[in-house]
Structure formats: structure tokens, C-alpha cells
């Protein structure tokens, strides 16, 4: 199963990225995910279910420890592409 997670951390700071946002970005960039798109107001990552769920756990824990007061996230099941299903 493939999953896509979309998330934001708050509070926002338009001057510079707050520590919790930097930590969240580091977590998803270091995870074994297939696709990661990090932006100033939203982030998306996609990969196998185990990798995404492990990254979400770390993202929640580490972002809260770094000062996030709110984390909004959405997890969706995405269709497997023919190339991903056929790879071993």
C-alpha cells in the first residue's frame, strides 16, 4: 500500500522557518520516502505505508518537542503505479 501525507506545523513565522518546521522537513527528507515536496505553507510526502507511518510518528514527536503548537495532517491511500508494483 502507498500513502501520501500532507502536513503543516504551526505557529507560522513569515520571517524565518521556526525550529519545528525545520525539524519536520529534516524528518521527511531523511525518511525512506519516494517523493517529498516541502513548501512554506504545506508539505507532501509519499511512499510505502510503513515508511510513511514511521515518518509521521517521528514528525509528530520531534515537531512537538521543537515547539509546534499545532500539526495538521492528512493521510491518503494512493494508487500504485505500474512501475512501483512491478519493482522488486
Amino acid at each position: 500500500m502507498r500513502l501520501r501525507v500532507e502536513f503543516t506545523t504551526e505557529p507560522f513565522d513569515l520571517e524565518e522557518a521556526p525550529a519545528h518546521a525545520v525539524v519536520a522537513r529534516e524528518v521527511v527528507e531523511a525518511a525512506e520516502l519516494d517523493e517529498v515536496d516541502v513548501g512554506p505553507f504545506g508539505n507532501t510526502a509519499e511512499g510505502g505505508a510503513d515508511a510513511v507511518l514511521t515518518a509521521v510518528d517521528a514528525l509528530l514527536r520531534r515537531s512537538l518537542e521543537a515547539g509546534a503548537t499545532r500539526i495538521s495532517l492528512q493521510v491518503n491511500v494512493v494508487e500504485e503505479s505500474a512501475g512501483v508494483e512491478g519493482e522488486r
Side-chain angles (χ1 to χ4, degrees):
M1 176 186 316
R2 286 183 61 75
L3 300 176
R4 177 182 302 124
V5 61
E6 300 172 50
F7 65 93
T8 58
T9 62
E10 295 179 41
F12 295 115
D13 182 343
L14 298 178
E15 300 295 320
E16 65 180 86
H20 58 80
V22 173
V23 165
R25 178 178 27 203
E26 290 172 353
V27 168
V28 295
E29 288 177 343
E32 295 181 19
L33 301 171
D34 301 328
E35 297 178 34
V36 174
D37 183 22
V38 177
F41 299 109
N43 309 284
T44 305
E46 187 174 314
D50 287 339
V52 170
L53 294 173
T54 297
V56 166
D57 178 66
L59 179 140
L60 291 171
R61 293 175 188 278
R62 293 191 51 208
S63 296
L64 290 168
E65 290 170 359
T69 57
R70 177 180 176 138
I71 302 169
S72 301
L73 66 91
Q74 178 174 318
V75 178
N76 294 301
V77 175
V78 294
E79 254 185 65
E80 300 268 355
S81 67
V84 173
E85 281 183 328
E87 292 177 0
R88 299 255 177 224

